[in-house]
Every structure is written in C-alpha cells, then in structure tokens.
Amino acid sequence: MKEFNTLYLIVDENIAVITINRPKYLNALNSEVLIELSEAVDLIDKDPTIRAVILTGAGEKAFVAGADISEMKSKDVLEAREFSSLGNKIFSKLEKLRMPVIAAVNGFALGGGCELAMACDLRIAGNKAKFGQPEVGLGIMPGFGGSQRLARLVGNGIAKEILYTGAMIGAERAYEIGLVNRVVDSTVVLEEAKKMAQAIAAKSPIGISFSKKAVNEGTNMDLEHGLSLEVELFGSLFYTKDQKEGMSAFLEKRPATFQGK
Ligand code: HXC
C-alpha cells in the first residue's frame, strides 16, 4: 500500500485501518491530511478484498481535534469556501464507500473531527472521548457537514444546543443522544472496532452495501420512495451468489462463505 505523510493505511484480513497521524497537533485536519484521506479512500474503494474500514487517530489524546486552525486563520472568503467544499466532498466520498466505515474515537472529536466521525457509518467511543462543535467560539460555524449530519443523527433540538453553545460533551452523553453506537473502555476502542469490523466482514458484502445504500439514500427521500428503493435493492440481491450461498448454507446447516458477488 502507498506511504502517506499524515496518515497510515493498513489492510489486514479484509479490514482497512486508516490512522490520522499528527498527534502533536491532536490530528488536526490540514489540507494535506484531507488530500491524503481522499487518496486513501480511493485506494480502499478500488480494493475488492476490503469489507470494512476503521478510521481512528494516532495517540491517546485525540481522534481529531478539528480542522487546522493555524491553516484556516489567514484564509480569504474564496479559500475558506474551497476548504469547506474540499472537506465536504471527501467526507461524502468516505460516506458513500460501499463498505461500512467505523470511527474508533479514542479522544477529542471536535469540530471537523466530530464531523469526520459523523460521516462514518458507526462510531465506537472510548469512555474518555469528548465530542463537540466548538466553531462558534472561533467566530465560525461547522464547514465539513456538521450542521447537516448532526441534526440528522440527533435531531434539530439537541444539534442546535451543541452547535450554539460550542460545549463539549462526554462519551456517555454522546451515547444517550445517539451520536455514538457504543462506549467502551478507552484502552480497547480499536480492539472493539476491529471486533465489529470482523463481524461485518463475515456477512454478505453485497447485503451490507445495499443496506447502507438504502439507509443513506432513503434518509433523503420520503417514506414511499425509500420503500420503493428498498424493494428494488432487495429484488436485485436475488441475482447474486451471496443470496444463493446464504440461503443454501442456512438450509444445509453450515456457515455461509460470502464472496461479495
Ligand atoms: C490546529 C490544534 C488544533 C486545531 C489542537 N491543536 N487542536 N492546532 N488546529 N484544531 C494543537 C494546539 O495548538 C497545540 O499545539 C497542540 O495541538 C496540543 O493542543 P493543546 O491545546 O495544547 O492541548 P490541550 O490543552 O489538552 O487542549 C486540547 C483541546 C484544544 C481542548 C482539544 O487543543 C482545543 O480546543 N483545540 C481546538 C479545538 C477546536 O476548536 N476545533 C474546531 C476547529 S474548527 P502547540 O503547538 O501549542 O503545542 C473546525 C472547522 C471545521 O474544525 C470546518 C472547516 C471548513
């Protein structure tokens, strides 16, 4: 796999792990990280063996403490818009990967870091993790999708409280409001994310990818269109070997081996 300056990409047994690696700056997202993240997502997309992705941050202190404030400070209006647009495009590409992406949140997930975690399918947080959208304290607002994904995940009321106060919330509160799927001891976040990724990797990649598409695309439709999308996706799974294998294995009382075909 390609070497990067600001992140690691390791693929092992159908699971890719991306580790954002600027621990001295709490893994803050500068343009270089964004571009390398985009390249890593492209590599993952092209690798048919990968069935789940884990995204995490290097060091014990942070997942990602936001976009890089020292880089953003001197941007003019056009540059700020470009930066926001670049981040949004990359996060959307990550969100649309055919396989699930799990954020293993090992510390601060603030601003762009919280936004990055929200662009993932699932979030596992360490008990010391802290989430928040502190942008209003910097005279700005979220620009990598936070105003949209946070409201969709936790509802407008709670999202507005988080956006307007800029206050951090702990992992337990994040769990209560549905911002994270699970809270685990901070020493085992990556291990738990790997267990979840392995459970996902053992199931039908096509069944999972279509489930993902149905949820992601259906969320932006009315119920009637969402249900029609489900019917279409469900039906087309009957073209696949995974459907034949899954049902045969059940009836033959043996474990299924899915090829994602
Ligand atoms: C640049 C950052 C950074 C960031 C931390 N650092 N966060 N650098 N951008 N977002 C740097 C610090 O400047 C410091 O560098 C080093 O990382 C360690 O951080 P400290 O502040 O010394 O650590 P600590 O006192 O433990 O405080 C941790 C913290 C704090 C609470 C997470 O660092 C913090 O508030 N960071 C900023 C969080 C934030 O506002 N994020 C939102 C950014 S805006 P030095 O060189 O001093 O050692 C955003 C917008 C996204 O994300 C959309 C854009 C379009």
Side-chain angles (χ1 to χ4, degrees):
M1 276 271 161
K2 186 180 176 329
E3 296 270 317
F4 295 95
N5 281 330
T6 64
L7 53 86
Y8 300 115
L9 170 61
I10 292 169
V11 181
D12 185 26
E13 291 192 359
N14 308 118
I15 296 165
V17 181
I18 302 174
T19 307
I20 297 179
N21 186 34
R22 292 183 81 213
K24 198 165 172 267
Y25 303 101
L26 307 187
N27 303 319
L29 303 172
N30 61 14
S31 300
E32 188 181 13
V33 181
L34 290 177
I35 287 160
E36 292 199 329
L37 179 62
S38 177
E39 289 169 7
V41 170
D42 289 339
L43 288 174
I44 289 169
D45 192 32
K46 282 188 207 127
D47 184 336
T49 69
I50 298 174
R51 295 187 177 195
V53 180
I54 297 171
L55 181 58
T56 193
E60 285 170 13
K61 210 169 154 184
F63 172 70
V64 167
D68 191 307
I69 300 168
S70 45
E71 184 184 317
M72 272 188 301
K73 183 177 174 287
S74 55
K75 286 194 187 300
D76 63 24
V77 172
L78 275 181
E79 288 166 343
R81 194 174 287 180
E82 266 170 33
F83 188 59
S84 170
S85 168
L86 175 72
N88 265 305
K89 275 189 198 133
I90 297 164
F91 287 17
S92 291
K93 186 162 73 173
L94 175 78
E95 188 173 48
K96 286 180 187 146
L97 275 172
R98 67 183 183 283
M99 70 294 277
V101 183
I102 303 168
V105 181
N106 46 317
F108 292 111
L110 302 175
C114 188
E115 294 172 295
L116 181 58
M118 290 191 290
C120 298
D121 294 275
L122 306 163
R123 284 152 292 282
I124 297 187
N127 55 348
K128 294 183 190 148
K130 298 251 185 267
F131 294 81
Q133 296 289 159
E135 286 89 344
V136 290
L138 297 166
I140 57 169
M141 62 173 283
F144 290 159
S147 63
Q148 303 307 303
R149 291 196 180 90
L150 186 61
R152 283 165 171 78
L153 262 176
V154 305
N156 280 357
I158 303 280
K160 284 177 176 172
E161 184 183 333
I162 292 170
L163 296 172
Y164 299 170
T165 65
M168 288 188 226
I169 59 168
E172 287 301 335
R173 177 69 181 145
Y175 177 73
E176 266 169 32
I177 63 174
L179 181 55
V180 302
N181 296 71
R182 273 189 211 173
V183 181
V184 300
D185 193 87
S186 57
T187 56
V188 296
V189 183
L190 192 57
E191 211 176 304
E192 290 296 318
K194 282 186 180 161
K195 278 189 205 158
M196 195 185 269
Q198 280 157 358
I200 289 168
K203 304 291 184 199
S204 160
I206 304 191
I208 290 169
S209 146
F210 280 22
S211 300
K212 171 167 175 167
K213 194 176 168 69
V215 174
N216 284 2
E217 293 181 18
T219 308
N220 300 321
M221 295 174 179
D222 60 34
L223 181 62
E224 200 181 327
H225 287 94
L227 293 172
S228 299
L229 172 66
E230 187 183 85
V231 168
E232 282 311 309
L233 292 169
F234 177 82
S236 54
L237 286 171
F238 285 70
Y239 286 124
T240 68
K241 289 186 179 152
D242 277 8
Q243 176 266 329
K244 286 167 188 59
E245 165 63 8
M247 295 193 177
S248 303
F250 174 79
L251 295 172
E252 291 160 18
K253 302 191 189 304
R254 61 172 174 84
T257 308
F258 293 111
Q259 298 171 42
K261 288 184 182 157

